[in-house]
Every structure is written in C-alpha cells, then in structure tokens.
Amino acid sequence: MTHDHLRYLKLFLCGLANLKWTATYVLSIAAINWSVGNVPLLLVFGIELPPGLLLAGAVFVLRDFSQQEIGHWVLAATAAASVLSYFTAGFDIAAASTLAFVVSETVDWAVFTLTRRRLSQRILISSAISVPIDTTVFYWARDIASPSGIALGIAVKMLASVGIWLWLRRREQGQQSYGAPALPWWTTALSATPRARSSHRMIWVSFSRIGFHAYPGAPATTAYLRPQHRHKFWFRVWIEVWHDDREIEFHAFLEWLESLYDRGRLQLNDQSCEAIADHLHQLISTAHPGRRVWIEVSEDGENGCFTTYEGCR
C-alpha cells in the first residue's frame, strides 16, 4: 500500500469517526421501528406500550448530536432512516413512523438550529417541543391514540432527554470551573464529538512564561545553544468550539492553561518548541477530547513553531 493510499484510508476512517452519531441515529430509528412490530407490548401502569418507546427518547438526542456532526444534512439522515424503516418494519409501522418523524424532526431541527443557547439547553428545549408532537402523530397514525397512552409515551421519551441534559449541564459547568470531578468517558464522548464540516470555529488565547532549556545536539555553528539557556516562551493556543455560544470560555481556558505552568520558571531540559507543543496538546486533549487544537510556541517572540492537531486523532 502506497503512502497516498494510506493517506486516503486515514481520511476515510476520520470521516467515519466524525459520522458515528449520525450512523447511530439512523440505525436506532430502524431498530425501534422493527421492535414495534416484532416485540410484544409492555404493560406499564395498565397501559400497553411498544418496548422500543423506552429508547425512542434517545433518538431525539442522537438527532441533535448528528446535527453537531453534519449540520443541516441531518434532514437527509432522517430521510435515510425513514427509507431504511420500510425494510425493517413493514409498510404500516414505517409509514406511521415516517409521518411522525417528518413532522417532529423538522420542528426539532428548527428549534435546535434557531435557539442560541448552550448545547445542553438546546437539546432539552428541542426535545420538549418535538417529543409530544412525535408521540401524538405516531399514536394517531397507528390508531392507538388515547390521552393516557400519549401522556405516558411522552413522559417515557423525555426521560432520556432530561437525563442527558443533566449530564451535559454538569459537564459544561465543570468546563467553566476546571475544578469539577471527571465524568465518565461516555458523558465526555457525547459532548466532545467533532463535527464534519468544511469550516470550523476556533478560539485562541495567549500567555508567556520564563523557561530554561538546552539543545545538546546543536551543530557547531550554533554550539552556544548546547548548554542550558534562558528564554521567554510565548504560547498561543487555538481550540475548536462547536457553536456560537462558545462552550469553552476565553478567560476560563486561559486561566486553566496558565495554571499548568504556575510552578516557577519552566525547567524544560532538552525539549524543543515542538516537544513543548506536543506535551501541551496531550494535556488539552485529555481535558477536551476530540477537538482541533493549534499551538504556537516561540522563543522570545522571535522564533518558534506552529503545530496543528486534528480532532479525530
């Protein structure tokens, strides 16, 4: 396999990684519709409910994460899920589901797009509006509508949205303070998935620190760099954000970065500017996985390096 083939394979795998929520969203709709026609009904408080309904609430959250990945193309993903449902659930169930999703998902897309709030709040608001619409339309299309059944269906679906809203809200608060305890990996994955798009938003901060390093392998022409010597290291760090409300705030991000180097003057041994940038990226990617990061490190503002790190790494 040539170098070009490996490069194209890497780009393809990165593309798949960036679409994992979209794929999960499409497959979940087909699986839930299949369960409606093939899994016995559950009796909950004397009301019969399709088992798939217990997972249906998560579909609206998955749709929101899918929109984070592919933007307005999420409407095409919804259409693809409707087509796939015809092959997994039969005409009657697929038709009712398609009608419900066309109405409710369009509303969900509009609310999620137009609402200028944090990710957790947009998920909760869009779900609170679209879930009742979806449940009512689906029950009506299946001719099983009843006030108690619709109310219970809405309540069950909203459990997932409310739960994920609480998780994301806690994580957003933790990002602002940088002092919150670490959350489980799956919570981080939900809100740290990079979006596949032609452009991306980056914020940047800058700071400086006094440090000492050496270049033991310096050639004879720059032999004066071999012993330890002093520089004022300038840092400029860019990090990707996913919406206009900036879930990572400038000042909080800067304070956190500066705190990483608050132990007096930096003793960098034989680290180059490139090695310093790589080490800093490791720390950033641990706190904010999946995001593009650009780092510039310079010596005395005169010479330095600029390194980009892609979010799918």
Side-chain angles (χ1 to χ4, degrees):
M1 184 176 290
T2 66
H3 177 74
D4 286 340
H5 289 153
L6 290 173
R7 178 172 175 268
Y8 291 138
L9 178 60
K10 180 181 178 181
L11 291 174
F12 175 72
L13 293 176
C14 266
L16 289 181
N18 284 337
L19 295 177
K20 58 187 177 184
W21 292 115
T22 301
T24 305
Y25 165 63
V26 172
L27 295 176
S28 294
I29 293 175
I32 290 171
N33 287 335
W34 173 87
S35 71
V36 171
N38 294 276
V39 179
L41 297 175
L42 293 176
L43 193 63
V44 181
F45 300 121
I47 302 172
E48 290 186 335
L49 291 178
L53 193 67
L54 301 175
L55 301 176
V59 169
F60 293 91
V61 178
L62 289 172
R63 193 220 60 79
D64 292 336
F65 286 119
S66 176
Q67 186 167 337
Q68 288 285 95
E69 288 181 336
I70 61 176
H72 299 320
W73 281 101
V74 69
L75 297 177
T78 301
S82 298
V83 172
L84 185 60
S85 293
Y86 280 99
F87 296 96
T88 61
F91 178 80
D92 291 341
I93 295 175
S97 174
T98 298
L99 177 61
F101 271 112
V102 165
V103 176
S104 63
E105 293 290 270
T106 302
V107 172
D108 192 56
W109 164 79
V111 173
F112 189 82
T113 299
L114 298 176
T115 304
R116 292 300 184 187
R117 294 178 179 270
R118 295 187 181 278
L119 176 63
S120 60
Q121 295 175 353
R122 284 191 287 168
I123 286 176
L124 186 63
I125 293 171
S126 61
S127 296
I129 295 175
S130 57
V131 164
I133 295 174
D134 173 82
T135 306
T136 302
V137 172
F138 180 78
Y139 277 45
W140 171 79
R142 291 283 292 157
D143 197 25
I144 56 175
S146 69
S148 57
I150 291 175
L152 183 59
I154 293 172
V156 169
K157 287 183 179 181
M158 283 301 299
L159 286 177
S161 297
V162 172
I164 293 177
W165 168 71
L166 291 172
W167 295 329
L168 289 181
R169 182 170 175 268
R170 182 184 173 193
R171 186 175 190 275
E172 288 169 351
Q173 291 173 340
Q175 285 181 334
Q176 291 177 351
S177 66
Y178 292 98
L183 297 180
W185 68 267
W186 44 265
T187 306
T188 301
L190 285 176
S191 57
T193 304
R195 291 181 294 171
R197 56 181 183 271
S198 58
S199 62
H200 42 272
R201 298 176 178 87
M202 309 288 288
I203 63 170
W204 64 268
V205 298
S206 63
F207 62 98
S208 63
R209 287 291 186 272
I210 300 299
F212 295 83
H213 73 166
Y215 182 11
T221 54
T222 54
Y224 52 85
L225 297 176
R226 294 173 184 172
Q228 190 178 79
H229 53 278
R230 176 188 182 277
H231 287 295
K232 187 173 187 179
F233 289 92
W234 288 89
F235 296 81
R236 180 170 291 188
V237 181
W238 291 256
I239 188 168
E240 183 177 23
V241 295
W242 294 327
H243 56 76
D244 295 341
D245 197 28
R246 279 204 318 273
E247 67 280 7
I248 301 177
E249 179 50 49
F250 296 134
H251 303 288
F253 186 53
L254 175 59
E255 289 174 4
W256 178 72
L257 287 173
E258 289 181 320
S259 72
L260 300 177
Y261 299 102
D262 269 351
R263 299 178 181 176
R265 295 181 176 182
L266 305 183
Q267 298 297 329
L268 300 168
N269 301 319
D270 60 349
Q271 289 187 64
S272 63
C273 289
E274 292 84 351
I276 296 169
D278 287 343
H279 178 256
L280 179 56
H281 174 253
Q282 291 177 2
L283 300 175
I284 295 172
S285 62
T286 299
H288 300 286
R291 297 175 189 263
R292 291 179 177 88
V293 175
W294 304 342
I295 299 176
E296 177 184 294
V297 181
S298 70
E299 299 173 349
D300 308 308
E302 296 177 342
N303 313 287
C305 73
F306 176 74
T307 311
T308 64
Y309 305 89
E310 292 301 316
C312 60
R313 290 185 179 181

